[in-house]
Amino acid sequence: MAQKTIKVEGMTCGHCKSAVEGALNELDGITSANVDLDADKVDVEYDDQKVTESSMVEAIEDQGYDVK
Amino acid sequence: MAQKTIKVEGMTCGHCKSAVEGALNELDGITSANVDLDADKVDVEYDDQKVTESSMVEAIEDQGYDVK
């Protein structure tokens, strides 16, 4: 199991939190995704044999947010 | 047809805009609802024979926002 913190720009409210967490949780291999709105970040636990960082970044960007 | 501008606190992003506009449009008698995020308001056109201001306020508050 791997853990990573991804910095994300533009998340402002509970809807944004849900959108980003939901998009990550749809990926196979994600164990947990927790957005911290105040810190502009999402903490992800994942199986690095199943999911790549680039696919996580793409999932976040597809929701309309920028990854720093 | 009546027109009213309702000041709303806490709308921050496109999801918030959609939530408020969607909740208003579900009410019978609403012709249009347009959120202006920068101005913290929603402009509503409605049939005042069908929908009351208090039901519009309630629909907005049910989405988690405060009406000023």
Side-chain angles (χ1 to χ4, degrees):
Chain A
M1 195 60 57
Q3 198 281 332
K4 187 158 189 66
T5 296
I6 302 173
K7 297 288 282 179
V8 182
E9 285 181 336
M11 301 184 298
T12 54
C13 72
H15 296 119
C16 297
K17 177 177 162 75
S18 297
V20 169
E21 291 176 350
L24 288 168
N25 281 318
E26 279 186 11
L27 299 177
D28 188 36
I30 300 285
T31 305
S32 73
N34 290 297
V35 164
D36 182 332
L37 288 173
D38 291 332
D40 293 320
K41 68 171 186 171
V42 55
D43 293 316
V44 189
E45 288 186 353
Y46 61 103
D47 181 342
D48 58 7
Q49 301 298 305
K50 289 189 177 175
V51 60
T52 62
E53 184 180 346
S54 63
S55 62
M56 292 188 275
V57 168
E58 188 179 344
I60 295 167
E61 290 178 340
D62 281 350
Q63 295 298 314
Y65 304 98
D66 291 327
V67 173
K68 292 178 194 173
Chain B
M1 195 61 57
Q3 199 280 332
K4 186 159 190 64
T5 296
I6 303 172
K7 297 287 285 179
V8 182
E9 285 181 336
M11 301 184 299
T12 55
C13 73
H15 296 119
C16 296
K17 177 178 162 74
S18 296
V20 169
E21 290 176 351
L24 288 168
N25 280 318
E26 279 186 11
L27 299 176
D28 188 36
I30 300 286
T31 305
S32 73
N34 290 298
V35 165
D36 182 333
L37 288 173
D38 292 332
D40 293 321
K41 68 170 186 172
V42 54
D43 292 317
V44 189
E45 288 186 353
Y46 61 102
D47 182 341
D48 57 6
Q49 302 298 307
K50 289 188 177 176
V51 61
T52 62
E53 185 181 344
S54 63
S55 62
M56 292 188 274
V57 168
E58 187 179 344
I60 295 168
E61 291 179 339
D62 281 351
Q63 294 299 314
Y65 304 98
D66 290 328
V67 174
K68 291 177 194 173

